[in-house]
Amino acid sequence: MAAELRRPERTFTIRQLCVEFKVTPRALRFYEDKGLLSPAREGLNRVYNHRDRARLTLILRGKRVGLSLAEIREILDLYKVEDGGATQNAKSLRKFRERIVALEAQREDIEHALSELRGACERLEAHLAKARPDLLVETGGPQVPPQRVRLDGLQTATAK
Amino acid sequence: MAAELRRPERTFTIRQLCVEFKVTPRALRFYEDKGLLSPAREGLNRVYNHRDRARLTLILRGKRVGLSLAEIREILDLYKVEDGGATQNAKSLRKFRERIVALEAQREDIEHALSELRGACERLEAHLAKARPDLLVETGGPQVPPQRVRLDGLQTATAK
DNA sequence: GCGGCCGTTGACGTGAACGTCAACGTCAAC
DNA sequence: GTTGACGTTGACGTTCACGTCAACGGCCGC
């Protein structure tokens, strides 16, 4: 039955991951080239398991927050040695903390940018309200959330 | 007296801005090439005023949050027409709102990444505490804040 | 047996954001 | 008067993150 497909043994073809995450096969192979992914092989074909998929999630999030692939790899490697030697772990800890500080700084930047944009928005709204209230539209329609595609026909926890 | 230097009439050479913001002259010229900056000239030499400097602040923040120069330019141009025609303003408003939504999504990503990193940190700390408590260092020393350099010898509001 | 679709491996191309270098002008200091 | 710091304009080089394309293999349906 379908529940089978959710079990961790589930594997994915390259295209399945591509469709789900909206990336190209080229990109996945590129990440592999750079050591960010290393899916199993079935003959020549790549076979991704749930761990590869999780890594991909991290990779893409890393990209979205502006990290380079090299930086992302560094972080992933830190996880890898999470059970390695103690000295290594101490170094990893330092690097993790550096990342955290950097991300917090970036969040600050985003807050700044947001409040500036919001300010501009309000000024524009006020201006338009006086000049051409007819052009004033509310915040924005239904805005279909960029629902990620599942290839296995399963819903993403649509509450029973 | 020195207060003169803080007044808005104050101008900057390319190198002064470069040192203050830690960018290269090449970068500033590049931004100019792309229409992000347009300093006055004194003969051939570029002369930046306080508005140029403010724009540069925005540009660099935009970069730090992951925007491309083209996107940054778009935003700056939106400000430019903030007092233009009403139809234009309505369009600008939509674009601003789009940006805000995107930035909020990015902030979400950052929160996610942060909590993952923090989790990893805690696991590492716990592990180290058991294995080699001697290697456990507190969050991090004085950490000289990346104080931006002022060339005019002024302090950045160091509270009297 | 062959047309499609999926997959593979090179290899080359591309756009963004600069870096680097050459060749030149200008002005103050020595 | 020449050295050196600062400025200018090209023009070419480089890195990153892929896109694109060629050439090939495997398998399914007809």
Side-chain angles (χ1 to χ4, degrees), chain A residues 136-146, chain B residues 93-94 97-98 101:
Chain A
L136 249 185
V137 189
E138 283 319 299
T139 288
Q143 286 288 349
V144 186
Chain B
L93 185 52
R94 280 218 330 276
R97 284 173 175 167
E98 283 172 28
V101 171

Side-chain angles (χ1 to χ4, degrees), chain B residues 82-134:
Chain B
E82 201 167 337
D83 41 24
T87 325
Q88 261 299 340
N89 276 0
K91 276 182 68 177
S92 298
L93 185 52
R94 280 218 330 276
K95 297 239 182 188
F96 270 125
R97 284 173 175 167
E98 283 172 28
R99 286 291 165 208
I100 290 178
V101 171
L103 277 184
E104 282 169 347
Q106 200 183 335
R107 190 178 49 185
E108 280 291 293
D109 278 324
I110 290 191
E111 299 291 356
H112 267 251
L114 270 175
S115 66
E116 261 160 41
L117 289 183
R118 282 200 238 272
C121 257
E122 283 171 23
R123 289 202 306 280
L124 269 180
E125 283 163 8
H127 185 67
L128 271 181
K130 300 249 169 198
R132 297 284 305 275
D134 55 314

Side-chain angles (χ1 to χ4, degrees), chain B residues 13 15 29 41 44 46:
Chain B
T13 91
R15 193 153 304 263
R29 293 190 198 111
R41 297 294 184 121
L44 277 183
R46 291 166 174 80

Side-chain angles (χ1 to χ4, degrees), chain A residues 15-26:
Chain A
R15 193 152 303 263
Q16 285 173 328
L17 284 191
C18 286
V19 174
E20 181 178 356
F21 291 95
K22 291 177 188 290
V23 295
T24 67
R26 178 69 174 100

Side-chain angles (χ1 to χ4, degrees), chain A residues 115-130:
Chain A
S115 65
E116 261 161 42
L117 288 183
R118 283 200 239 271
C121 257
E122 284 169 24
R123 288 201 307 279
L124 268 179
E125 283 163 8
H127 187 67
L128 271 181
K130 300 244 170 203

